[in-house]
Structure formats: C-alpha cells, structure tokens
Amino acid sequence: LRDRGVVPSFEMEEDGKKFQFDLKRAVMERTQAEFDSLPQDLEIEGDDGKEARNKVKGVMAFLGQLFLRQFTTTKILKMVVSSMLFRRERPDEVHLEAVCLLLKATGASLESTQVGMKLLDDFCIRLKELRSKFEQGPDAFHEKTLSAIESLMDARKRKWVSKRTNRLKDQLKSVPTNTSDGRPRLLSRGEGAAADGAAPPAPGSTSPGDGPAAAPPA
C-alpha cells in the first residue's frame, strides 16, 4: 500500500472523542508491542528457545521492511540496533544475528544518505570489534554468529549486490551478443528447435507464420 502512495486511515472513537487512525500508526504500534515483548532469556533449550530466537529475528526482519517502505525512520533503526549492540559487553548472539539480518536488508538504503552511512559505519565498527574479541576463547561466538557478521561485511563490500547477481553478470559477459554476420544472437548453439530433437529447417523453407516461400529464381 505504501508503494502505491496510499496509507488508509480510519475514523475511530474512544471515550467519546473521534480521531483518525491510519494504517501506519496501527502497524507501528503493533511492531512496538512485539519488540517490547521480545524474550530476554534466549538461552532456553528446546522448542521454546527456538521459538523465542525466531521471534527476535522475525521482528527485526519485519522492522527492516517497514524502514524500506518508509513506515519508520533512521532514528528508530538507530535506537533498536544500538540497544542490541552496545548495551552489553558481550551481546546475545541471537541479537547479533538479527542485527546482521536487519542491516543486510537496509544497508543500501542507509548508505544513500550521509546520516545513514555514518550510522552503518558505527554499527560495522562495533561488529568488527565484537568479532575480533570473541572469535576465540571460552566466550567465543558460535560459527553461525561469526558467519552472519562476515556475511554482512561481505555484502557491504559488494555494494549490497548478491553473489548470485554477480555470477549472473559474469555469465552474461561471456555470452557472445552477436553472430559472425553481426546479427544479435538469441540462442546459443544447440539451443532451440534443434536441441529439442527437431531437424533444422531446410534452405528456402519457411516457419509457420512466415507466409509462402519465395519462388526460386528462374
């Protein structure tokens, strides 16, 4: 809805007073409630622990999408990420993974402004410090957390273009764009009808829709 430039609003009444209640407000209030209810103990074992960790990552991923659709601001993003990165000397690993998920989704948008770029710089510096400090030793992060941080740094180096997109670009560069006579090459050798087992058309023959064949010269 936001992409279409339309944010529906509704007339509400509470305690005899009427007010406009729009979708943006409703979504942000629900997101705030979900964020406030995030579990504090993420070391729980079993299904409860898995559900708690997934909820943290889900809320952060959703917040990223809200930011991309301009439902929330850089200031809100700063408050949320800072609370997860700077509050404790050794942040919870689930929080770190969720932050990396959020920043990978919003990184390109953040870097489009000076304020966002500076914010991203600060977050990446903190993540690098944590990775260096807790890469080894008794309090070392799990490999999954270290990989999440590395993946974020790698994505920023690649200007937020995915590895798959880069591979496709490399493949397209290696495909010849023209035939020997200068005409565009639409299919590589072996593709098309011949590749399907059909014989190539005989010289002078026509394909369906080409109209009658030209008469041979006298």
Side-chain angles (χ1 to χ4, degrees), residues 53-122:
R53 291 186 285 272
N54 286 340
K55 182 176 182 180
V56 172
K57 294 179 182 179
V59 170
M60 294 294 277
F62 186 63
L63 181 63
Q65 293 303 312
L66 291 180
F67 177 78
L68 294 177
R69 287 159 177 76
Q70 300 177 13
F71 267 62
T72 189
T73 64
T74 303
K75 182 179 179 180
I76 298 297
L77 222 61
K78 177 182 178 180
M79 292 171 57
V80 171
V81 176
S82 296
S83 71
M84 293 187 168
L85 287 186
F86 297 98
R87 184 172 295 177
R88 297 166 59 183
E89 181 181 354
R90 186 189 185 281
D92 191 285
E93 292 185 59
V94 177
H95 286 169
L96 292 181
E97 293 170 24
V99 163
C100 291
L101 185 69
L102 172 65
L103 295 181
K104 280 185 74 173
T106 60
S109 180
L110 284 171
E111 286 198 315
S112 65
T113 67
Q114 289 296 323
V115 173
M117 187 179 296
K118 175 62 168 61
L119 193 62
L120 193 59
D121 286 340
D122 293 342

